[in-house]
Amino acid sequence: MCGIYGYVGAKEAAPILMKGLRALEYRGYDSAGIFMIPSGVVKAKGEVSALQKKLPKKLSGTAGIAHTRWATHGAPTNVNAHPHTGNLKRVWLVHNGIIENYQELRDALKKKGNTFVSATDTEVLAHLIEDILVNGNAKNLEEAVVAALKRVHGTYGIVVMDAEEPDTLVAARLGSPIALGIGKGEYFVSSDPSALLEHTRNVVYLNDGDVSVLTPEGYSVLARGKKTNGRVPEYLDWDADSIQKGGYEHFMMKEIMEAPEVLVNSARGRIDKKTGAVKLGGLEEVRPRLKDIKHIVIVGCGTAYYAGLVGKYLFMELARLPVTVEFASEFRYQNAPLLKDTAVLAISQSGETADTLAAVREAKRQGCLTLGIVNAVGSSIARETDAGVYNHAGPEIGVASTKAFISQLEVLALLALLFSEKTLSAEDRRRYARAIDRLPQQVEEILKQKDTIKKLAKKYGRARDFLFIGRAYQFPIALEGALKLKEISYVHAEGYSSGEMKHGPLAMIDGSFPTVALVPKDATYKKTLSNMEEIKARKGPLIAIATAGDTRIKDIADDVIYIPNTLEPLTPILSVVPLQLFAYYLGVAKGYNVDKPRNLAKSVTVE
Ligand code: AGP
């Protein structure tokens, strides 16, 4: 849950490391630190900008490591910030992950005379490597790292330096992402390849169990202790501009505005506009196995889980396949027996969410086919699933998932169409293809209403609670709308199926409790309309998300945001857009940093 960056080459390392940290700040931002030889270490509590202010004017060194933290063990303080070192201040290390047996290792090292200054699990690892390097049989830093990691239980992505070998970085991974940037006479290490783009597009992803040594002369990779012939770098064809804010005040707004483009990219080359035939390259290899699938279990966390709930309706309606959707964080503890003809579909923007990855591993252990819908290319879930589909949404930097969610919904629709060869008529298939093709333009139309939505956010900005209601395909969107509001504006919000109102939540309604009703013209339109009447009768303020042309809704709702008409299973892709904008404007009006909500991180790589 932290960002780590490393550089070795001929240039001054400090500006490169600091830029890397700024690009990785979305992964954690409670403290940061940098280490270079000969300049030494500088740490600061707070965001990367606080570290920048603290840096001495002259920093020198052509190799170094840096870290931006999201606390797991030990409060966000200067002393707990990375890099950490051992007793002799010889080995320095940055770490993302959790060392589970740190207490035991710490006690053993204390008995040998080591003294610890921080409350972190990471410091133990620095001591352990240093102890093996100085007092053990290790000939160099690489050997010391390999030996130390054998004694560690937990997860890590690390970069380590030895003050006596200043031109060498050792990186290793188990459960936390590490990408190597391959330059000419210079090498980079990052938790996220997007932070490498400025320097190189040639990237090597470390696998679990890999240890890599990087010097200005080259790099090597040791896989689970065995020498490899090196790995061929993958070429990353991301647009460098896409990791900048592109003129918007916040990444979140930029990413909401990118939705039309994302919808084009996620469907590009995957659906034949004339016939509705779907081809998903990433699934070709397992296509024969897909025919035998009788049941789908979708796993994900947060927004990805809600996308999964929409997926459930899609698969059931279009492909007539039974689907269950589970929070990945629950699934891993359910001890669920899975049938062999079950496919487990993991949805994850980052591809690194620890619980989702654990669910994939459990499904594999039980012999199921594992599939992924993942945005981050080369991420752990992308690599560990048997097959999958990339979102092609580009890097999502804002902590709140917006464009990635929209592309998850579109990819789910494509996947459901792929599974529905026997259940959908040729004409229905063509209707879907045409409707999918129209989506980008329709989202554009919604985005044009952003000033109206901004005014609504102002009008309702003082409310302390919000209710979001919807039914069938709109129920998961009600949940997602509530989550977005909670995480961005810290306002209490709940999502409910509108059919559940009378079973409890209606009791909360009064004149100060607004409800956002998702009420497009679909199969449950009239039912939700009745629920809105019940709310109105109790003086509850109502904001409706309705289909363009619906004039009747104006008699019931206090305010209406219109979305264009589409096929019911695709409506969530449109109806979520106003909710994302509403949350954004409410958060901004309250003066919050909407790109980095308090207490949250973009990539949850620990449990
Ligand atoms: C979304 O706005 C959240 N920040 C969060 O719920 C997120 O969707 C969840 O942590 C899953 O992340 P993933 O898609 O990277 O696996």
Side-chain angles (χ1 to χ4, degrees), residues 301-304 347-351 353 356 399-401 408 483-484 487 602 604:
C301 293
T303 291
I347 305 179
S348 175
Q349 187 286 130
S350 62
T353 299
T356 313
V399 166
S401 186
Q408 284 161 354
L483 175 67
K484 216 83 304 171
E487 70 177 332
K602 182 67 181 162
V604 187

Side-chain angles (χ1 to χ4, degrees), residues 407-475:
S407 97
Q408 284 161 354
L409 299 183
E410 187 175 48
V411 171
L412 281 162
L414 295 176
L415 207 52
L417 280 174
L418 184 80
F419 273 90
S420 64
E421 269 169 6
K422 291 191 188 129
T423 46
L424 272 192
S425 69
E427 179 45 31
D428 278 344
R429 191 170 287 284
R430 282 195 289 275
R431 281 175 53 232
Y432 275 102
R434 285 196 297 271
I436 287 174
D437 196 42
R438 277 196 301 271
L439 288 171
Q441 182 55 41
Q442 294 183 318
V443 170
E444 290 280 9
E445 282 170 38
I446 301 169
L447 293 173
K448 280 186 199 144
Q449 300 177 61
K450 66 182 179 19
D451 290 339
T452 314
I453 297 170
K454 187 176 181 180
K455 280 185 198 141
L456 283 186
K458 202 171 168 209
K459 177 174 170 186
Y460 292 95
R462 296 172 81 100
R464 288 181 52 195
D465 312 273
F466 278 86
L467 195 64
F468 288 73
I469 59 167
R471 205 156 182 186
Y473 283 96
Q474 297 307 318
F475 168 46

Side-chain angles (χ1 to χ4, degrees), residues 249-250 485-491 583-584 586-598:
E249 205 184 331
H250 301 101
L485 200 64
K486 281 186 268 211
E487 70 177 332
I488 297 305
S489 69
Y490 316 150
V491 171
Y584 171 83
L586 213 84
V588 171
K590 287 180 183 288
Y592 298 138
N593 183 347
V594 293
D595 283 339
K596 291 179 197 162
R598 67 185 180 201

